[in-house]
Amino acid sequence: MFLKKFMKMALVSTTAALVLAGCGGKDDSKSKDALARIKDDKKIVFGVKYDTRLFGLKNPSTGKVEGFDIDLSKALAKEMFGNDVKPEYIEVTSKTRVGLLNNGKVDAVVATMTINEERKKEVDFTDVYFNAGQSLLVKKGSKVHGLADLKKGTKVLAVKGSTSAVNIRQKAPDTTVLEFENYAEAFTALKAGKGDALTTDDSILYGMKEEDPSFELVGGTFTQEPYGIAVKKGNKDLVDALNKALKSLKDSGKYDEIKNKWIKK
């Protein structure tokens, strides 16, 4: 009886181990061959934002996504693959971008994503491609002129999954933070008077200010937000290729050409 039970348990354990080994082998192969797979598929899928003016915004007239992140990713794809691989785009938000990257829906995220130690545990980053800093956007004439004015009774709007939401709670612990799914919703709420200020990176806030000049940035920047391109952890081949292409674009002046087209502070 004991021998039978032991053999049955051993058989179940062996079968489970084989199944797990098979699954693990498939995932590891896909991870290691990211660059080769992209070349075979003849497409590279970028996760970008659709709601962030200047960086990634869907044009309602054309249906196309436009901005600095879009033009930069196109130039990177061209530099890495020539005309052999076409860039494609999928919408991501601050909340969804890591999940979509890690489940294989996108190959790389170019979406105003700040490099930090916590995120490095989940994804791999390229070198910095843009330096930003967190700030505050308010209606002109507002009593909020900076962090010191964010006291008890004030409300600050932020986006779910962003470093900005974490930072503002640390920098202004007495204020109430309201989080929204994306920047479009947060800015709409600010315009409707549901908050005293909206906080995120200054580069993103400049886009909102451009959309509606009755708003302004106040208080300067109070964090450093270095943006990186994120890829699934372990894809060193893809990170290296992106870094090489990014350096080439900077050396040739193409990077500055794209940046100056969109970012006019």
Side-chain angles (χ1 to χ4, degrees):
M1 173 72 82
F2 174 81
L3 182 60
K4 269 186 172 183
K5 189 171 183 181
F6 176 81
M7 290 181 68
K8 185 176 180 182
M9 288 174 67
L11 180 61
V12 170
S13 298
T14 303
T15 303
L18 287 171
V19 170
L20 288 172
C23 292
K26 185 176 179 182
D27 287 347
D28 289 344
S29 172
K30 186 174 181 181
S31 177
K32 290 176 184 175
D33 297 333
L35 199 57
R37 176 176 51 77
I38 288 168
K39 290 177 181 177
D40 288 342
D41 292 345
K42 298 191 182 303
K43 69 176 182 179
I44 179 167
V45 182
F46 290 107
V48 298
K49 289 183 175 175
Y50 279 29
D51 68 335
T52 308
R53 187 177 292 273
L54 303 183
F55 281 83
L57 183 69
K58 190 170 184 178
N59 187 321
S61 301
T62 64
K64 293 181 179 180
V65 192
E66 302 167 344
F68 174 71
D69 283 348
I70 313 306
D71 284 358
L72 179 63
S73 59
K74 286 178 182 176
L76 288 169
K78 179 82 171 177
E79 187 68 28
M80 288 190 292
F81 309 112
N83 294 319
D84 296 332
V85 172
K86 301 298 181 185
E88 295 185 4
Y89 297 94
I90 288 179
E91 181 182 12
V92 300
T93 66
S94 296
K95 183 181 175 182
T96 65
R97 56 194 171 190
V98 171
L100 289 171
L101 181 65
N102 286 333
N103 68 18
K105 296 294 184 183
V106 298
D107 297 307
V109 169
V110 192
T112 64
M113 190 169 183
T114 299
I115 300 170
N116 61 36
E117 293 306 312
E118 202 59 37
R119 285 175 178 163
K120 284 181 182 178
K121 296 174 185 177
E122 298 182 294
V123 300
D124 287 336
F125 283 103
T126 63
D127 296 334
V128 176
Y129 76 87
F130 188 89
N131 280 298
Q134 188 171 343
S135 190
L136 300 169
L137 184 74
V138 301
K139 186 80 172 176
K140 285 183 177 178
S142 169
K143 293 180 180 179
V144 174
H145 302 288
L147 281 174
D149 298 314
L150 298 178
K151 301 172 182 177
K152 189 173 182 179
T154 59
K155 294 179 182 177
V156 179
L157 314 181
V159 169
K160 293 178 182 177
S162 66
T163 54
S164 303
V166 176
N167 292 338
I168 200 64
R169 286 188 170 95
Q170 295 172 345
K171 302 284 184 181
D174 293 330
T175 195
T176 298
V177 180
L178 304 178
E179 294 184 57
F180 296 82
E181 292 296 328
N182 54 54
Y183 294 111
E185 288 185 14
F187 192 31
T188 297
L190 181 67
K191 289 189 281 188
K194 294 182 179 179
D196 300 289
L198 191 158
T199 189
T200 186
D201 304 341
D202 59 346
S203 52
I204 299 171
L205 296 178
Y206 278 116
M208 297 178 187
K209 175 187 171 184
E210 182 180 281
E211 180 184 334
D212 189 337
S214 67
F215 289 85
E216 63 181 350
L217 278 72
V218 295
T221 57
F222 49 88
T223 67
Q224 292 183 336
E225 306 295 333
Y227 294 167
I229 299 168
V231 302
K232 189 174 183 179
K233 213 153 183 52
N235 285 340
K236 185 177 184 301
D237 52 352
L238 184 53
V239 171
D240 289 346
L242 285 164
N243 277 336
K244 183 179 177 182
L246 181 59
K247 183 179 185 303
S248 181
L249 292 178
K250 288 183 175 181
D251 290 345
S252 70
K254 181 66 177 176
Y255 172 89
D256 287 333
E257 180 186 321
I258 295 170
K259 182 181 176 182
N260 293 336
K261 173 185 173 184
W262 293 102
I263 313 300
K264 303 178 182 71
K265 293 186 180 181

